[in-house]
């Protein structure tokens, strides 16, 4: 049996749940006019309203007791101190060092990591400045106009999400492109849009062994050399970001053109490191620093605030309440902001690759649910697609509604409509609509009794569906930094409660291994490896279709 399920607080919460599950948020709001004030808080430019959740003071008390009994205070300290909390890889977990704006020493293996962090940041700044100012010239002495980032997973989603989110801050000359898929279609379509003389390729891979990235980078390099007709020109158009200097050199990128990071930066936590180079190229050093500042504000808050007033801890523990007690295994990220359209995909990797685990740190199987399925879309589009299920389906899926108070476009009228929908959805999810309310509405429309009664069950909304509303003053680099750090820490807290390692990802390995063998078979380098009949059939059909 896992340690978690033996904790007194875990079991006390089950007793509390037996009563709490009967509660409806409507009544909770009716009986406590101060509920929204009491269940909301502000950190930097972020405001969280968590009042529309199925909780009472007793629930929160129980959840915070659970956090303490699960050892959260010590684990937070251990992470910030640089202890090797990623035990299966024997690594520290120090994305917080990358935005440690106070510059206080953080030791790993007896060495302060801050001088390295600062020196890479300075190199990135210098390079970004040269490219943005037009001092860095391509092989025909023209400034760079297009940046193509080649990477996948954490080496793609973070920079892509941030560059999309902060487009209004982007350099007007710079067009950003992201190639992650090994399906040649993505690279092919990207190369159609760029010119070799004015394009900078940033090859990003923590390991520099990822097949998708290396394949895309190799093809891009061949495309470039075939046009530049000069191998030496590569130095002006290809840079790498990695922890693996040797592999970068073997690939044919001069290590002088490499920006380094370290094994204590997890891939999905790496946008603050040199992996953020495309962000800096697009937004400039100042805005990148603001992103770091915003994350640092959240780090400090997470480290110092009491759990009861700690935004990441609250979000995490409320999540635990639904996942483990209500059995709600999914969580929706719904940004009401077009610029944040890649946020759901980013959080999906962050959460599911971190906490999609089935064993505890000691190797014992878990006997409770872990990471929820994270999904989502811009909220307004979701309303016209899948929100039906969220309102009237059989699942309980908490929703994070995220928006910015400030209108960033000059188009009149749009922002009010957008925000009206955010607030209306949160209200509808909470209140629902009772049978009596439906009857009153239909009577007012003059519907006959029998027709009305037939319609009533279909038009009833149970309500009591949880949402968190996150308001940003504005979507700027600082607030985005805080928002991302908020989710990073929320996920960390949940991992601590479950006693799992949030920082490895062994689950992605098996598919990679098998793909190597099958690739050899598909390309004719290997005859027939042993497979099940289904896999054999699929391979056979591919061979048949591609027989020339
Ligand atoms: O296969 C999963 C993964 O290792 C992610 O964790 C990582 O973000 C991605 O692949 C890319 O890895 P790399 O940066 O080493 O190319």
């Amino acid at each position: 049996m896992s340690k978690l399920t033996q904790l007194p607080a875990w079991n006390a919460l089950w007793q509390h749940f037996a009563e709490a599950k009967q509660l409806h948020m409507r009544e909770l709001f009716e009986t406590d006019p101060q509920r929204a004030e009491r269940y909301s808080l502000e950190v930097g430019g972020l405001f969280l309203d968590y009042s529309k959740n199925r909780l009472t003071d007793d629930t929160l008390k129980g959840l915070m007791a659970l956090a303490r009994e699960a050892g959260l205070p010590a684990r937070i300290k251990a992470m910030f101190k640089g202890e090797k909390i990623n035990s299966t890889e024997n690594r520290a977990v120090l994305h917080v060092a990358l935005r440690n704006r106070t510059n206080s020493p953080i030791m790993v293996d007896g060495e302060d990591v801050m001088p390295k962090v600062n020196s890479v940041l300075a190199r990135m700044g210098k390079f970004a400045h040269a490219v943005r100012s037009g001092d860095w010239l391509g092989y025909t002495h023209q400034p760079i106009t297009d940046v193509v980032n080649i990477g996948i997973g954490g080496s793609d989603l973070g920079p892509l999400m941030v560059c999309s989110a902060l487009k209004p801050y982007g350099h007007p000359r710079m067009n950003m492109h992201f190639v992650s898929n090994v399906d040649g279609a993505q690279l092919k379509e990207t190369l159609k849009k760029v010119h070799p003389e004015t394009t900078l390729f940033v090859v990003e891979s923590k390991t520099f062994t990822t097949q998708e990235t290396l394949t895309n980078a190799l093809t891009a390099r061949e495309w470039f050399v075939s046009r530049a007709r000069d191998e030496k020109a590569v130095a002006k158009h290809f840079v790498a970001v990695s922890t693996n200097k040797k592999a970068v050199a073997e690939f044919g990128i001069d290590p002088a053109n490499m920006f380094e990071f370290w094994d204590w930066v997890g891939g999905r936590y790496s946008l603050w490191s040199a992996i953020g180079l495309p962000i800096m190229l697009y937004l400039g050093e100042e805005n990148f620093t603001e992103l770091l500042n915003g994350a640092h504000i959240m780090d400090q808050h997470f480290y110092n605030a009491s759990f009861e007033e700690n935004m990441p801890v609250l979000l995490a523990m409320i999540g635990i309440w639904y996942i483990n007690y209500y059995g709600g295994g999914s969580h929706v990220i719904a940004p009401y902001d077009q610029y944040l359209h890649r946020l759901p995909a980013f959080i999906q990797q962050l959460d599911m690759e971190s906490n999609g685990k089935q064993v505890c740190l000691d190797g014992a199987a878990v006997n409770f649910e872990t990471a929820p399925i994270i999904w989502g879309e811009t909220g307004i589009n979701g309303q016209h697609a899948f929100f039906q299920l969220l309102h009237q389906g059989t699942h309980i899926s908490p929703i994070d509604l995220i928006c910015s108070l400030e209108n960033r476009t000059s188009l009149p009228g749009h922002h009010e409509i957008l925000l009206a929908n955010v607030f209306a959805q949160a209200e509808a999810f909470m209140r629902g609509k009772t049978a009596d309310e439906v009857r009153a509405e239909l009577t007012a429309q003059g519907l006959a009794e029998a027709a009305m009664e037939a319609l009533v069950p279909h038009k009833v909304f149970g309500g009591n569906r949880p949402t968190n509303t996150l308001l940003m003053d504005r979507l700027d680099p600082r607030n985005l930094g805080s928002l991302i750090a908020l989710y990073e820490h929320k996920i960390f807290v949940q991992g601590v409660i479950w006693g799992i390692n949030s920082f490895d990802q062994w689950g992605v390995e098996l598919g990679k291994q098998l793909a190597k063998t099958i690739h050899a078979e598909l390309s004719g380098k290997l005859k027939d490896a042993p497979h099940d009949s289904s896999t054999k059939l699929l391979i056979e059909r591919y061979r048949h279709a591609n027989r020339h």
Side-chain angles (χ1 to χ4, degrees):
M1 214 200 284
S2 75
K3 287 183 199 132
L4 174 62
T5 55
Q6 294 171 52
L7 294 177
W10 173 267
N11 294 306
L13 271 168
W14 272 113
Q15 281 169 21
H16 170 66
F17 177 70
E19 288 166 28
K21 69 177 177 200
Q22 321 290 344
L23 297 171
H24 196 293
M25 280 187 255
R26 263 189 192 229
E27 281 115 58
L28 296 175
F29 273 96
E30 273 158 20
T31 53
D32 178 8
Q34 301 304 313
R35 185 172 169 87
E37 273 92 306
R38 294 196 310 112
Y39 291 173
S40 57
L41 78 160
E42 198 164 6
V43 178
L46 299 193
F47 176 82
L48 167 68
D49 174 5
Y50 61 95
S51 62
K52 293 192 185 87
N53 278 293
R54 297 186 187 182
L55 1 121
T56 64
D57 289 355
D58 285 342
T59 321
L60 285 169
K61 223 163 124 194
L63 287 168
M64 296 311 154
L66 179 62
R68 291 190 175 95
E69 285 180 20
L72 182 60
R75 295 297 283 178
I76 296 175
K77 286 207 176 80
M79 176 168 77
F80 277 77
K81 260 173 64 188
E83 282 177 27
K84 297 196 173 172
I85 60 170
N86 175 357
S87 51
T88 60
E89 296 180 312
N90 194 29
R91 289 174 181 168
V93 175
L94 276 179
H95 39 282
V96 293
L98 301 167
R99 62 241 187 168
N100 173 21
R101 309 306 295 159
T102 58
N103 210 20
S104 52
I106 300 181
M107 310 300 283
V108 174
D109 294 328
E111 187 196 349
D112 179 11
V113 299
M114 289 316 296
K116 296 201 257 191
V117 169
N118 294 330
S119 126
V120 173
L121 269 177
R123 268 193 73 213
M124 287 165 65
K126 216 168 143 199
F127 178 67
H129 179 72
V131 173
R132 288 165 58 84
S133 66
D135 287 349
W136 180 280
L137 298 174
Y139 69 99
T140 55
H141 308 292
Q142 293 189 59
I144 299 298
T145 58
D146 290 82
V147 174
V148 179
N149 189 76
I150 298 180
I152 197 165
S155 301
D156 167 69
L157 283 166
L160 167 57
M161 185 274 284
V162 173
C163 289
S164 315
L166 298 175
K167 211 165 184 195
Y169 295 81
H171 192 294
R173 196 187 68 242
M174 217 64 82
N175 302 304
M176 304 302 290
H177 312 267
F178 291 83
V179 176
S180 53
N181 200 331
V182 76
D183 179 349
Q186 198 180 17
L187 183 59
K188 184 178 162 189
E189 293 304 323
T190 305
L191 293 179
K192 276 188 200 165
K193 294 185 215 151
V194 301
H195 201 280
E197 295 171 38
T198 53
T199 299
L200 178 72
F201 292 90
V202 182
V203 185
E204 302 209 305
S205 174
K206 178 174 170 180
T207 54
F208 230 78
T209 57
T210 304
Q211 192 185 31
E212 294 86 340
T213 299
L214 295 189
T215 306
N216 279 325
L218 204 64
T219 306
R221 197 180 188 283
E222 278 163 9
W223 172 88
F224 175 79
V225 172
S226 72
R227 281 151 182 86
R229 295 170 190 278
D230 181 6
E231 277 281 338
K232 277 196 242 104
V234 168
K236 286 277 167 212
H237 293 267
F238 278 77
V239 297
V241 178
S242 186
T243 59
N244 188 347
K245 219 178 239 174
K246 192 165 162 266
V248 169
E250 277 164 15
F251 177 82
I253 295 181
D254 185 347
N257 277 353
M258 171 183 150
F259 296 84
E260 193 188 3
F261 66 114
W262 310 276
D263 69 0
W264 42 261
V265 182
R268 51 197 173 272
Y269 298 87
S270 63
L271 70 88
W272 324 98
S273 71
I275 288 290
L277 185 64
I279 302 174
M280 210 193 254
L281 287 164
Y282 190 45
L283 304 179
E285 189 178 11
E286 228 171 85
N287 283 321
F288 188 78
T289 305
E290 272 296 279
L291 191 76
L292 301 182
N293 287 339
H296 182 65
I297 291 170
M298 190 54 71
D299 294 345
Q300 291 290 294
H301 165 77
F302 177 51
Y303 192 82
N304 293 314
S306 73
F307 286 176
E308 287 72 13
E309 286 169 41
N310 194 312
M311 208 183 264
V313 175
L314 280 162
L315 278 186
M317 298 313 296
I318 294 171
I320 295 278
W321 184 229
Y322 295 120
I323 297 163
N324 295 119
Y325 292 87
Y326 281 93
S330 109
H331 191 104
V332 178
I333 305 291
Y336 277 74
D337 192 308
Q338 187 56 32
Y339 289 116
L340 284 177
H341 73 285
R342 293 303 283 161
L343 186 70
F346 172 78
I347 304 287
Q348 193 171 56
Q349 184 195 14
L350 196 63
D351 201 327
M352 292 168 77
E353 205 174 60
S354 294
N355 286 344
K357 309 288 164 63
Q358 57 182 3
V359 292
C360 298
L361 286 163
D362 61 6
V366 299
N367 53 345
F368 43 80
E369 296 295 323
T370 58
I373 292 160
I374 302 286
W375 56 293
E377 165 59 283
T378 52
I380 205 82
N381 292 337
Q383 279 178 218
H384 296 274
F386 55 79
F387 270 37
Q388 164 62 36
L389 176 147
L390 298 175
H391 280 292
Q392 287 189 310
T394 51
H395 301 268
I396 293 187
S397 194
I399 309 157
D400 292 352
L401 305 163
I402 304 163
C403 62
S404 142
L405 294 175
E406 194 179 285
N407 182 7
R408 281 195 309 172
T409 71
S410 51
L411 304 177
H414 290 247
H415 204 60
E416 288 84 357
I417 298 176
L418 186 70
L419 288 215
N421 274 280
V422 180
F423 304 153
Q425 287 296 324
E427 193 172 28
F429 281 123
M430 183 277 283
R431 288 181 57 83
K433 197 190 258 186
T434 64
D436 284 346
E437 285 167 343
V438 174
R439 279 192 194 98
E441 210 174 83
L442 294 177
T443 308
Q445 287 167 18
L447 220 70
E449 174 88 19
M452 181 171 80
E453 286 308 323
L455 254 186
V456 168
H458 298 277
K459 297 195 93 172
V460 165
F461 285 58
N464 213 19
R465 309 247 159 166
T467 57
N468 296 303
T469 308
L470 264 163
L471 307 179
M472 281 177 276
D473 292 348
R474 74 187 66 80
L475 179 48
D476 61 14
R478 181 180 283 234
N479 290 340
L480 182 65
S482 298
L483 181 74
I484 301 167
L486 168 64
Y487 278 98
E488 288 178 345
H489 295 320
K490 172 202 163 180
I491 291 161
F492 168 70
V493 171
Q494 293 188 333
V496 171
I497 304 301
W498 292 320
I500 57 178
N501 183 357
S502 302
F503 301 105
D504 60 11
Q505 57 283 318
W506 301 108
V508 299
E509 294 304 322
L510 178 61
K512 285 188 198 172
Q513 270 170 24
L514 296 183
K516 265 195 194 138
T517 310
I518 297 176
H519 178 229
E521 289 174 87
L522 298 188
S523 55
K525 290 191 190 110
L526 182 70
K527 198 81 191 90
D528 282 315
H531 295 290
D532 58 85
S533 62
S534 159
T535 310
K536 266 192 204 147
L537 180 73
L538 298 171
I539 292 174
E540 214 24 69
R541 285 190 74 89
Y542 173 85
R543 282 180 174 152
H544 186 74
N546 287 280
R547 201 170 287 148
H548 303 295

